[in-house]
Amino acid sequence: MADVVILGGHGKVALRLAPLLVRLGDRVTGVVRNPDHQADVAAVGATPVVADVESLDVAGLAKLLEGHDAVVWSAGAGGGDRDRTYAVDRDAAIRSMEAAETAGATRYVMVSYLGAGADHGVDPDDPFFAYADAKSAADAALRDSSLLHTILGPGHLTLDEPTGMIDVVRGSVDGETSVTRGDVAAVAAAVVHDDATIGRTIDFHNGTTPILAALHE
């Protein structure tokens, strides 16, 4: 059993992740910016906490993370505004890592995307560039931190029913791949408690292998 805090607690992955963690016996906190979202977080078994991770400094985030064993970053600006994308997906994410180190929340799971990295290849004129660039910086900062981290790189997210089946990607991918948000949540729930995934970047999409088996191939 662990105390797990989900940053971005009202996201479509987060709301699927929280009940999975609760079923594993974890105490789950879902951090939301909008007070109107508290009821949705509570309905899936998590304790809602209202806080704006975009505006909190490291000290404020550390106070938020105190008493937790693990952090799951599932927050995001949602695209659109370039400056806000950098503010949330890069800057706030990196501050949350520093805060986790300060607070002693040593297990950290980052929800990134398949293809993230310095070699993401997105054209600077593409609206997606800011997100790709921000995630590249955040993922790099996490790898350089002292945190016991796992970075998840799911393919294109869908709202289809979860399958419980994925394929882990090693190397480049031809064409667009997809994965249900429910399966991303299941992968995140699995790795939080799996020390064998510490230090790994796990790129994946829906496939033919049961999740737990795929994580250990």
Side-chain angles (χ1 to χ4, degrees):
M1 183 171 67
D3 288 288
V4 184
V5 56
I6 305 174
L7 301 177
H10 194 258
K12 293 182 177 67
V13 170
L15 289 174
R16 289 164 172 78
L17 170 60
L20 298 179
L21 292 171
V22 170
R23 282 179 216 144
L24 291 172
D26 295 329
R27 292 181 291 265
V28 182
T29 300
V31 177
V32 296
R33 182 169 58 93
N34 186 342
D36 293 340
H37 292 161
Q38 292 180 88
D40 292 337
V41 172
V44 295
T47 300
V49 171
V50 178
D52 184 1
V53 298
E54 181 181 356
S55 62
L56 286 175
D57 60 12
V58 172
L61 285 166
K63 185 174 181 180
L64 184 68
L65 302 182
E66 281 179 0
H68 293 92
D69 306 303
V71 179
V72 178
W73 177 273
S74 190
D81 185 277
R82 182 185 181 94
D83 290 340
R84 187 157 184 268
T85 295
Y86 280 113
V88 177
D89 293 282
R90 181 190 64 192
D91 301 340
I94 292 173
R95 287 197 302 274
S96 78
M97 298 166 201
E98 297 169 4
E101 291 174 321
T102 300
T106 55
R107 187 73 174 100
Y108 193 110
V109 176
M110 167 67 75
V111 179
S112 186
Y113 75 96
L114 179 58
D119 57 349
H120 56 72
V122 180
D123 189 289
D125 293 330
D126 190 315
F128 188 71
F129 177 84
Y131 180 77
D133 195 42
K135 293 303 277 187
S136 172
D139 291 356
L142 184 54
R143 293 187 185 100
D144 289 340
S145 76
S146 65
L147 295 168
L148 304 175
H149 70 271
T150 305
I151 298 172
L152 302 183
H156 176 74
L157 302 179
T158 76
L159 288 171
D160 296 336
E161 287 298 311
T163 68
M165 311 285 277
I166 63 169
D167 286 335
V168 172
V169 176
R170 295 173 176 85
S172 59
V173 179
D174 293 327
E176 185 175 277
T177 63
S178 65
V179 60
T180 76
R181 286 173 169 85
D183 287 318
V184 176
V187 171
V191 304
V192 164
H193 295 286
D194 188 348
D195 289 351
T197 65
I198 291 172
R200 290 178 57 193
T201 296
I202 302 171
D203 294 328
F204 63 97
H205 51 74
N206 276 134
T208 59
T209 309
I211 287 171
L212 292 179
L215 293 176
H216 291 274
E217 283 185 337

